[in-house]
Amino acid sequence: MKISVVALIGCLLLPAASFAQDLAIIPDVEVGNWIALHHSPDQGVSTDICMAASADQGLLFRGDAHQLEIRTGNPQWSMTAGQRGEMTVTVGNYSHTFEMIAEGASMLTTIAQPDDMKALFDALDSASQATLKYGQKTTRIVSLYGSTKALNQFRSCVASNGFADLGNAAGDNASPF
């Protein structure tokens, strides 16, 4: 399934970034239902935002020099900006509840601590799907097909740019060493 990079850019960047004329969104990895990208304010010389997302916008990850974010979206939602609620992510034995805030009508976000995101990524690395429960009302399943490579790229981007340490990437990275 091809992911619309333009749709992801709107969901991942527009609420949180101001754009210069030399904006560059660079896709890094697109596998299965997942994509990893990064934003360069200077046509690829440096990176100021790292991103990874599922095709259905169920899980979106964003990191920059100031914070790490977990986002989730659905174009059918209708929320008021600032509305608050909880999202519980369950993957195998892992379960964590995040306090979410509506960024707009169809996007929820939370600022995540590196240890919380690392624990989530460690759980995602060994599963085929994640269950998201929003409050007591809505449950959603997110496919993790392709997530390992996209999340490995996100971890690498975040680490190499000095944003955070999210632990070692999962799985065999086809290293020649």
Side-chain angles (χ1 to χ4, degrees):
M1 171 189 299
K2 292 292 178 187
I3 300 171
S4 169
V5 174
V6 174
L8 286 176
I9 292 166
C11 294
L12 292 169
L13 289 178
L14 288 175
S18 60
F19 293 101
Q21 287 182 327
D22 55 351
L23 168 73
I25 301 296
I26 302 163
D28 296 312
V29 173
E30 187 174 350
V31 181
N33 298 319
W34 285 79
I35 189 168
L37 320 110
H38 70 275
H39 173 260
S40 176
D42 49 18
Q43 297 299 314
V45 176
S46 64
T47 296
D48 63 350
I49 301 171
C50 302
M51 301 162 281
S54 62
D56 64 358
Q57 299 178 21
L59 284 171
L60 305 101
F61 301 99
R62 182 186 182 283
D64 63 28
H66 306 289
Q67 63 194 23
L68 297 170
E69 295 178 6
I70 301 171
R71 296 182 180 196
T72 184
N74 185 329
Q76 297 177 358
W77 289 344
S78 180
M79 299 177 292
T80 303
Q83 186 175 350
R84 296 181 179 272
E86 294 181 342
M87 175 184 71
T88 301
V89 179
T90 304
V91 183
N93 293 329
Y94 171 91
S95 184
H96 188 87
T97 300
F98 296 95
E99 296 295 323
M100 307 298 286
I101 186 167
E103 289 288 327
S106 61
M107 180 66 58
L108 293 169
T109 190
T110 190
I111 296 172
Q113 296 303 310
D115 287 343
D116 290 338
M117 193 172 282
K118 180 189 178 309
L120 173 57
F121 282 9
D122 288 347
L124 295 173
D125 287 343
S126 60
S128 61
Q129 66 182 29
T131 302
L132 311 179
K133 185 172 182 183
Y134 306 93
Q136 299 301 315
K137 189 174 177 183
T138 304
T139 300
R140 177 182 196 176
I141 304 296
V142 175
S143 171
L144 299 176
Y145 176 68
S147 67
T148 299
K149 286 189 177 186
L151 295 180
N152 284 351
Q153 178 60 37
F154 178 80
R155 283 179 174 185
S156 177
C157 181
V158 166
S160 67
N161 288 289
F163 301 157
D165 178 2
L166 299 178
N168 294 325
D172 180 5
N173 293 314
S175 171
F177 303 108

